[in-house]
Amino acid sequence: GAVVSQHPSWVICKSGTSVKIECRSLDFQATTMFWYRQFPKQSLMLMATSNEGSKATYEQGVEKDKFLINHASLTLSTLTVTSAHPEDSSFYICSASDGITSGANVLTFGAGSRLTVL
Amino acid sequence: GESVGLHLPTLSVQEGDNSIINCAYSNSASDYFIWYKQESGKGPQFIIDIRSNMDKRQGQRVTVLLNKTVKHLSLQIAATQPGDSAVYFCAENTGGFKTIFGAGTRLFVKA
């Protein structure tokens, strides 16, 4: 089945620095990937839709200059948290669909990347 | 705005019993619903889905029921096992692959 890989799985950084998280579709091509954010004991909140070869589409309230998304190839999307602050600490999860697994609308999720900003 | 929510934040069941997890949605235009399971520290995993032109769909030990009249979804897990302990989310597909998640229910299975 479809596999989505994220890296790093966890990262600790100092306040003010930037952190890049990678999301790869390992055995399929994904023109669209989705980035979610999850706080402890809460649901997944959709941040943005990553579109291969074009600009990402951000959800209302998500700062595009804060969360830079690049989808340069059909198998890789990156999320960069710029000038990170402690309130950016969260679990970031990416997802994509291969259009085949269990129906065309089902997303396969990565294992997530836990960001801690000190 | 539109949202998908859950009635129960936690559910505790005895091993071997059946579990029922409920979900209410508000977007009457949604035509596709999915249940995901998330274990601690991991990404969500697909369980079962249902389209709005159906009211019931069965999988292996799981059944999803959809009541469009009252905008209600439920996930039934038969013979619940310790490995079923996780957080369960209903999710709503609003077009293409864009998926909006509900609040989640944590399921505890007592041995």
Side-chain angles (χ1 to χ4, degrees):
Chain A
V3 178
V4 173
S5 174
Q6 272 185 251
H7 178 83
S9 56
W10 61 269
V11 56
I12 301 173
C13 71
K14 293 182 179 180
S15 185
T17 62
S18 295
V19 174
K20 180 185 287 187
I21 300 170
E22 293 186 346
C23 178
R24 295 181 184 273
S25 54
L26 296 187
D27 49 1
F28 66 99
Q29 294 182 333
T31 56
T32 304
M33 292 184 174
F34 297 90
W35 287 95
Y36 289 82
R37 180 177 184 176
Q38 185 178 33
F39 291 108
K41 299 183 180 180
Q42 294 190 23
S43 186
L44 282 75
M45 182 194 79
L46 179 63
M47 298 175 66
T49 302
S50 175
N51 305 299
E52 188 269 335
S54 64
K55 293 182 179 180
T57 304
Y58 290 83
E59 295 298 303
Q60 189 173 8
V62 178
E63 300 176 58
K64 61 180 181 180
D65 295 330
K66 174 74 172 178
F67 300 100
L68 300 179
I69 292 173
N70 183 277
H71 195 153
S73 77
L74 287 171
T75 60
L76 174 65
S77 175
T78 61
L79 169 68
T80 301
V81 183
T82 63
S83 187
H85 289 94
E87 58 265 29
D88 298 324
S89 298
S90 189
F91 194 50
Y92 293 88
I93 313 172
C94 71
S95 65
S97 174
D98 64 355
I100 300 173
T101 303
S102 302
N105 301 86
V106 173
L107 297 176
T108 298
F109 286 83
S113 300
R114 185 164 302 282
L115 170 63
T116 301
V117 184
L118 302 178
Chain B
E2 300 285 11
S3 65
V4 180
L6 291 176
H7 296 301
L8 300 174
T10 60
L11 177 65
S12 183
V13 300
Q14 196 69 38
E15 181 180 0
D17 288 350
N18 296 333
S19 302
I20 299 177
I21 300 171
N22 296 301
C23 173
Y25 65 94
S26 57
N27 188 348
S28 57
S30 294
D31 62 358
Y32 185 70
F33 304 90
I34 314 105
W35 281 99
Y36 286 95
K37 172 186 180 182
Q38 185 180 29
E39 297 177 336
S40 182
K42 299 182 180 179
Q45 179 182 13
F46 170 82
I47 300 174
I48 192 168
D49 57 354
I50 189 168
R51 294 205 173 274
S52 60
N53 61 353
M54 303 171 68
D55 54 19
K56 181 179 180 179
R57 192 169 186 213
Q58 288 185 292
Q60 188 175 18
R61 282 203 306 121
V62 294
T63 301
V64 55
L65 300 177
L66 174 63
N67 185 330
K68 294 183 291 294
T69 302
V70 295
K71 299 179 188 174
H72 184 268
L73 274 168
S74 68
L75 176 70
Q76 300 179 1
I77 305 174
T80 312
Q81 303 169 359
D84 295 326
S85 294
V87 177
Y88 291 82
F89 295 98
C90 67
E92 176 180 21
N93 188 283
T94 60
F97 302 125
K98 183 174 177 178
T99 302
I100 303 300
F101 279 72
T105 294
R106 181 173 294 279
L107 176 64
F108 292 101
V109 181
K110 297 177 288 185

